[in-house]
Amino acid sequence: MSKVAEIFETLDYGLAPEAPGPALDWLKANGGKFGHFIDGGFTKPGKTFASINPANGEKLAEISDGTKADVDKAVKAARAAFKDWSQLSGFERAKYLYAIARQIQRESRLFAVLETLDNGKPIRESRDADIPLVARHFYHHAGWAQHIDKAFPDHVPYGVCGQIIPWNFPLLMLAWKIAPALAAGNTVVLKPAEFTSLTALLFAQICARIGLPKGVVNIVTGAGETGEAIVNHPDIDKIAFTGSTEVGKIIRRATAGSGKGLSLELGGKSPFVVFDDADLDSAVEGLVDAIWFNQGQVCCAGSRLLIQESVEEKFIAKVKARMATLRVGDPLDKSIDIGAMVDPVQVARVQDLLKQGAKEGGTVYAPDGTMPEKGCFLRPTLVTGISPAHILASEEIFGPVLVAMSFRTPEEAVALANNTRYGLAASVWTENINLALDLAPKIKAGVVWINSTNQFDAAVGFGGYRESGFGREGGREGMAAYLKPSWEKALKATPVLKLATPISDPVSAGIDRTAKLYIGGKQARPDSGYARAIHGADGRLVGEVGEGNRKDIRNAVEAARGALGWGAKTAHLRSQILYYLGENLDYRKAEFAERLRALTGASANAAKREVDLSVERLFAFAGWADKYDGAVHNPPARMLAAGIVEPIGVLAIAAPDEMPLLGAISLLAPAIAMGNTVVLVPSDPHPLAITDFYQVMETSDVPGGVVNIVTGPKRELSKTLAEHDGVDGIWFAGSLEDSAMIEAASAGNVKQSWTTRGLGYDWSDKAIMESDYLLARATQIKNVWIPYGA
Ligand code: NAI
């Protein structure tokens, strides 16, 4: 080590190590071996595995590998605790959350050191970012616990939540999961990642210390199999997962049809966009934070640098110069920039990707500074001279590797930014506020940081678009993810529709009354060239509809994608068109009622009521179109975060079989009110109720492609839609079995899905169906962080 005088001479840096002693003593005091935290106490350690310090390879402790029986015990404890915990007053729950926040602050140094030992992240980060954010999360959610009834009337907690978290922000991810769950009145079974369970175990001790009622928080350690046991446990009501997209898809399939709530926070390949008028030096510092924070093991890491061509050379030179000053070394050293990767497995994964990348070309730069002799260390790395299709530009690397590409125009920047299956976050750097705010809505990402990066706060939702998952953590949206409407519990299975036996009717069968499909604003013949006969309530033939197939679905999706500009139209315009639809349906209500009678056998009154309600529903969502909007958050930074409500994109809708007009309109209206474009598959037995609606749409100025309708076998057509990568979300009204199939099929591109699971949603219930229930499901929130008041 250099002497102080020498340091002054060379201005080289001296080590400033944080002492590991107190954290190691804590491990020793606990016997170096941990069981699970279940029902308020620690179990005896079972079969254990080692938790290793990745900076030096030394063993820190032995932790238990949770079995199915352990998970079951934890779920039972959580279930037993649920009633009392959920019925406690908000103020009482708030006091517990507040007490946790205070204890975390009290023990913040111990938590920070333990986190750094276990995970390898620089102490500067665990001390100044992770742990303060953990405390902030519990403070923020103490407030929600108290105000929940006022903020979310008629909502109830899910019950027992299974929560599975990754190793990159071990305690912070725990806080993101546990704080909102508890505030809402749920109890939890949480599994930390196998590499990093120690701070979760210290947290468990804090829960016991503050007297949190037994069973409210249970922590079961273990690897993927323990996670699977949580996902598949029948008495868990909701799963919240953060981790790889691959495991997220497995969980989507595993929970399909189970009725479990699900939120997924998955991977990313986030763009960091720098325009030529940006403050380049600030952008370089931002970039350091974007990609080398936590060794790049960050789901929203700014791992793709997109730089305007005119400043490319200059900017890359600045980046390289800055990279050469980054210090890689002992994470406990307070002056270190880059610590250890979490485990040799992750080091090997990154190295392997770099090797594969080398085969595809490109130039790799890594400064040649000193490196520790042992431990999981990687140099900061920059890859240039590659195309967007290069493996390093498309795969999530989850390490300190930045790839750079250039663009010429803002349009090109947007196209490159969106050229990924992910959509978690983006940074935009420019001194031109107009340009920044022009880009923000065009980038498909749940978070956009303007002239900033990696900003997080408990009051601001965080979560992804596309294959980065669905659901939000933080803020109001994050609370909503742990609550459900109280009426959902009362839903009963839908009675099976009684359909008349078709009778042959040679007279009308001879008449050609085949309704076509409706694609891109035009009636279209089905690709198959076939039609299916539609029989009325008396069994007689009332008409025919086109027999749609995969090809028709492809055309309809293409038309819907082509019409996505609908979402960028003003809410006022969408509102006007919905009103117009309502008005035009009202003109023809007698004819529609007559058709419904013939199709479903409804009484004259019931048919009239269904049409009247359909008109009212269109008006209801015309009214909502310009009112269901976002919020501006006040994070503790000189920034605002604008939570902007955006459509999901192309929404596939399979309408219910019953109430064939009102059911379809109830789903269609909120979807298009919020700016989605739709591919609708109407009621299986009664599609003619909606094919008559084509003319209503044509006379109401609905732009071509906004609503596309494909008649035919509902189950197969919906499956094709669920599997289609051009579809962003799916709503399916139908049996439990078909709902399960649809949810599983939607895992491919991690679609948001909503299914009725064979339950009797009452389409005529105005309180529910005209509420914001479906609006929330038709939208996703993008948080745009904007420097403000600085
Ligand atoms: P992972 O997704 O396997 O692990 C995350 C958590 O899920 C851990 O607690 C793990 O035990 C659990 N898990 C694993 N398999 C499971 C299953 N079948 N059912 C239920 N739970 C299961 O991530 P892993 O393997 O540690 O890292 C691999 C890659 O995933 C990384 O290189 C990175 O690309 C990505 N990743 C992304 C994260 C993010 O925050 N978006 C976090 C961690 C990893």
Side-chain angles (χ1 to χ4, degrees):
M1 200 196 292
S2 338
K3 290 204 184 93
V4 175
E6 286 169 20
I7 293 170
F8 274 117
E9 216 155 89
T10 60
L11 283 185
D12 197 3
Y13 85 106
L15 293 175
E18 174 75 32
L24 295 174
D25 289 348
W26 176 80
L27 291 170
K28 218 185 283 161
N30 286 282
K33 209 170 189 180
F34 292 86
H36 311 292
F37 183 71
I38 296 176
D39 206 20
F42 279 91
T43 61
K44 249 182 53 206
K47 193 176 137 227
T48 59
F49 59 92
S51 195
I52 307 286
N53 177 348
N56 58 20
E58 284 168 18
K59 185 167 97 178
L60 291 166
E62 289 278 333
I63 52 182
S64 295
D65 193 4
T67 61
K68 262 191 184 167
D70 296 323
V71 168
D72 193 48
K73 212 169 136 193
V75 173
K76 286 207 170 88
R79 177 62 60 199
F82 174 64
K83 191 158 171 249
D84 284 353
W85 178 251
S86 57
Q87 289 179 359
L88 216 55
S89 79
F91 174 51
E92 290 303 320
R93 281 207 304 274
K95 282 196 285 187
Y96 285 114
L97 287 163
Y98 172 74
I100 292 174
R102 294 289 288 142
Q103 285 297 321
I104 283 167
Q105 285 182 315
R106 183 168 170 256
E107 304 286 2
S108 60
R109 193 51 71 101
L110 177 59
F111 269 117
V113 176
L114 191 60
E115 196 77 304
T116 284
L117 286 173
D118 203 13
N119 166 279
K121 62 174 69 204
I123 183 75
R124 212 158 38 83
E125 294 178 8
S126 51
R127 185 196 61 193
D128 300 344
D130 293 51
I131 310 303
L133 270 170
V134 170
R136 160 96 184 117
H137 237 77
F138 281 100
Y139 271 115
H140 179 78
H141 286 89
W144 276 120
Q146 197 161 358
H147 295 304
I148 200 107
D149 294 342
K150 288 155 260 165
F152 296 91
D154 306 320
H155 278 68
V156 290
Y158 273 89
V160 176
C161 297
Q163 307 183 313
I164 298 166
I165 57 171
W167 38 260
N168 51 348
F169 295 91
L171 192 68
L172 185 58
M173 289 302 105
L174 172 148
W176 281 24
K177 296 277 179 291
I178 290 186
L182 262 49
N186 300 280
T187 57
V188 307
V189 176
L190 176 135
K191 189 193 84 64
E194 51 272 42
F195 301 136
T196 54
S197 302
L198 299 178
T199 46
L201 295 167
L202 175 57
F203 177 83
Q205 288 188 350
I206 278 187
C207 292
R209 193 190 297 167
I210 64 146
L212 187 73
K214 290 195 294 187
V216 170
V217 167
N218 303 276
I219 291 173
V220 180
T221 53
E225 273 183 33
T226 316
E228 259 174 67
I230 292 176
V231 168
N232 296 326
H233 198 290
D235 201 28
I236 284 185
D237 304 297
K238 177 193 161 101
I239 298 288
F241 172 78
T242 299
S244 60
T245 294
E246 190 192 345
V247 173
K249 290 181 185 180
I250 294 174
I251 293 177
R252 167 67 290 186
R253 290 189 189 102
T255 54
S258 68
K260 287 185 175 118
L262 181 62
S263 46
L264 299 174
E265 203 269 89
L266 311 175
K269 190 79 184 173
S270 298
F272 188 100
V273 186
V274 182
F275 283 94
D276 60 4
D277 67 348
D279 172 347
L280 295 186
D281 292 317
S282 296
V284 169
E285 286 316 303
L287 188 62
V288 168
D289 205 17
I291 182 64
W292 292 301
F293 177 57
N294 203 18
Q295 297 69 249
Q297 302 167 126
V298 182
C299 49
C300 52
S303 52
R304 282 189 300 144
L305 168 64
L306 307 179
I307 167 89
Q308 198 155 23
E309 203 179 70
S310 45
V311 287
E312 185 185 11
E313 215 173 295
K314 189 167 156 197
F315 191 73
I316 294 288
K318 278 176 186 284
V319 173
K320 285 185 177 166
R322 183 66 177 92
M323 286 170 76
T325 68
L326 293 173
R327 294 170 188 139
V328 183
D330 179 6
L332 279 176
D333 180 351
K334 290 173 203 122
S335 32
I336 230 57
D337 298 297
I338 298 182
M341 300 285 290
V342 72
D343 189 84
V345 170
Q346 288 302 116
V347 175
R349 194 188 127 92
V350 174
Q351 285 169 337
D352 187 49
L353 271 167
L354 284 171
K355 231 181 263 165
Q356 289 184 55
K359 288 188 212 143
E360 293 183 22
T363 310
V364 176
Y365 168 78
D368 54 5
T370 48
M371 291 284 285
E373 276 158 23
K374 57 174 185 176
C376 300
F377 294 92
L378 286 173
R379 291 178 194 278
T381 303
L382 169 70
V383 185
T384 50
I386 60 173
S387 74
H390 194 281
I391 185 170
L392 298 178
S394 56
E395 283 291 309
E396 181 179 45
I397 301 174
F398 229 62
V401 183
L402 173 70
V403 298
M405 284 165 285
S406 64
F407 65 86
R408 288 191 193 127
T409 61
E411 292 69 36
E412 248 179 64
V414 170
L416 272 175
N418 288 337
N419 183 25
T420 167
R421 60 194 175 110
Y422 298 111
L424 196 48
S427 281
V428 179
W429 293 74
T430 166
E431 290 298 290
N432 179 349
I433 185 77
N434 299 317
L435 180 58
L437 295 180
D438 181 44
L439 246 69
K442 293 180 181 157
I443 296 181
K444 302 272 173 255
V447 187
V448 176
W449 292 296
I450 293 177
N451 290 328
S452 56
T453 194
N454 275 347
Q455 297 287 323
F456 311 101
D457 184 51
V460 186
F462 180 89
Y465 281 27
R466 300 172 162 177
E467 293 193 32
S468 292
F470 47 73
R472 294 288 179 267
E473 296 187 292
R476 194 188 159 84
E477 306 93 87
M479 281 308 298
Y482 283 97
L483 292 159
K484 53 183 189 177
S486 45
W487 54 261
E488 270 191 357
K489 257 202 294 202
L491 293 174
K492 300 259 173 351
T494 333
V496 179
L497 266 193
K498 281 201 203 85
L499 300 175
T501 319
I503 50 176
S504 64
D505 178 357
V507 181
S508 51
I511 304 167
D512 177 22
R513 281 193 291 174
T514 303
K516 300 194 179 83
L517 316 181
Y518 190 69
I519 296 178
K522 295 194 191 77
Q523 302 203 21
R525 285 185 193 288
D527 167 69
S528 69
Y530 289 103
R532 54 167 49 197
I534 301 301
H535 298 272
D538 58 4
R540 284 179 199 281
L541 189 73
V542 277
E544 290 182 326
V545 294
E547 183 79 351
N549 65 15
R550 300 181 78 86
K551 177 109 189 292
D552 300 310
I553 290 288
R554 276 207 298 275
N555 293 340
V557 172
E558 204 174 301
R561 289 220 78 79
L564 281 172
W566 174 245
K569 295 267 189 289
T570 65
H572 173 64
L573 180 88
R574 292 197 299 268
S575 167
Q576 270 182 305
I577 289 178
L578 277 155
Y579 276 126
Y580 205 15
L581 274 171
E583 184 189 332
N584 284 328
L585 178 60
D586 196 53
Y587 279 135
R588 297 175 54 181
K589 62 183 172 191
E591 179 197 332
F592 270 84
E594 201 41 53
R595 177 73 118 176
L596 282 174
R597 279 190 67 184
L599 286 170
T600 65
S603 69
N605 264 347
K608 180 176 176 303
R609 184 159 177 265
E610 183 170 344
V611 183
D612 285 345
L613 278 170
S614 300
V615 173
E616 192 172 339
R617 191 101 347 137
L618 288 162
F619 266 58
F621 287 100
W624 266 124
D626 56 357
K627 292 171 196 66
Y628 187 76
D629 52 17
V632 177
H633 305 295
N634 285 301
R638 290 189 176 276
M639 302 187 83
L640 291 176
I644 296 166
V645 173
E646 293 195 341
I648 291 189
V650 173
L651 207 52
I653 298 178
D657 290 348
E658 69 281 3
M659 297 202 124
L661 180 66
L662 180 61
I665 300 271
S666 298
L667 300 175
L668 192 62
I672 62 174
M674 291 295 104
N676 297 283
T677 62
V678 169
V679 178
L680 178 92
V681 181
S683 159
D684 219 18
H686 310 307
L688 288 168
I690 210 76
T691 55
D692 291 345
F693 197 65
Y694 298 171
Q695 287 113 36
V696 177
M697 288 194 287
E698 278 161 4
T699 50
S700 307
D701 301 338
V702 179
V706 170
V707 179
N708 306 278
I709 298 174
V710 181
T711 51
K714 181 168 133 187
R715 187 176 191 278
E716 284 92 282
L717 295 177
S718 305
K719 181 165 184 278
T720 305
L721 283 163
E723 287 167 347
H724 198 303
D725 280 351
V727 175
D728 303 296
I730 186 160
W731 293 354
F732 180 86
S735 70
L736 174 57
E737 194 195 351
D738 289 353
S739 298
M741 177 275 288
I742 291 293
E743 286 179 8
S746 72
N749 67 345
V750 199
K751 283 180 188 64
Q752 301 213 23
S753 62
W754 174 81
T755 64
T756 61
R757 303 179 53 252
L759 295 170
Y761 284 79
D762 182 357
W763 310 105
S764 65
D765 186 330
K766 288 193 244 176
I768 292 172
M769 288 301 157
E770 293 181 5
S771 76
D772 60 3
Y773 175 70
L774 285 167
L775 294 174
R777 283 149 186 83
T779 52
Q780 49 196 344
I781 295 189
K782 170 185 279 176
N783 273 288
V784 181
W785 290 68
I786 305 163
Y788 186 82

